[in-house]
Amino acid sequence: MAQQLKEAMQRLSKSIPKGGMGGGGSGGSSGPNRAAKAAASATGALVVAGGLGYGAYNSVYTVEGGHRAVVFNRLVGMKESIYGEGLNFNIPWFERPTIYDIRTRPCNLQTLTGSKDLQM
């Protein structure tokens, strides 16, 4: 029994690489390589997350009450539809909304009449 255990341990020690359980390569170089790969992977993930966040933030716009929006598209020009109040969506960089105020405003005119009913 002891002999079989000894042989199993010898076979196991021969199958493990010299650098330990680190995954191969020369002794100390696997640690920095692994760290560099992890840093590159984390940087790539941050860039992708930042790009998605930028796209999500710039893909919505709000049209306030009393306003309307028309959208200019870089590919086809001005769109035919007019967007009403509320939350609207667009494609960043390809579409640009222009918001207009459509509320009516009173206009005071100065006249030289003696009364408000235009009688002298």
Side-chain angles (χ1 to χ4, degrees), residues 47-99:
V47 167
V48 169
L52 289 175
Y54 173 80
Y57 180 75
N58 288 319
S59 67
V60 295
Y61 63 97
T62 303
V63 178
E64 301 291 330
H67 293 76
R68 296 292 182 265
V70 293
V71 175
F72 176 76
N73 188 321
R74 290 182 188 253
L75 300 177
V76 297
M78 197 64 85
K79 286 189 170 181
E80 291 292 324
S81 58
I82 298 173
Y83 296 93
E85 57 194 45
L87 187 68
N88 297 296
F89 298 96
N90 66 339
I91 303 169
W93 194 81
F94 284 107
E95 295 179 343
R96 183 179 51 231
T98 305
I99 299 174

Side-chain angles (χ1 to χ4, degrees):
M1 182 77 166
Q3 184 65 24
Q4 291 175 347
L5 183 60
K6 189 175 181 181
E7 289 173 4
M9 292 304 274
Q10 286 176 352
R11 279 183 283 163
L12 183 63
S13 67
K14 288 180 183 178
S15 67
I16 295 176
K18 292 287 183 186
M21 295 288 228
S26 61
S29 67
S30 65
N33 277 342
R34 190 177 304 157
K37 287 180 183 177
S41 176
T43 303
L46 283 175
V47 167
V48 169
L52 289 175
Y54 173 80
Y57 180 75
N58 288 319
S59 67
V60 295
Y61 63 97
T62 303
V63 178
E64 301 291 330
H67 293 76
R68 296 292 182 265
V70 293
V71 175
F72 176 76
N73 188 321
R74 290 182 188 253
L75 300 177
V76 297
M78 197 64 85
K79 286 189 170 181
E80 291 292 324
S81 58
I82 298 173
Y83 296 93
E85 57 194 45
L87 187 68
N88 297 296
F89 298 96
N90 66 339
I91 303 169
W93 194 81
F94 284 107
E95 295 179 343
R96 183 179 51 231
T98 305
I99 299 174
Y100 292 100
D101 184 6
I102 62 162
R103 295 177 288 192
T104 58
R105 296 183 199 101
C107 183
N108 291 329
L109 298 175
Q110 296 292 330
T111 62
L112 298 175
T113 60
S115 65
K116 286 191 174 188
D117 59 356
L118 301 178
Q119 294 179 357
M120 292 297 273

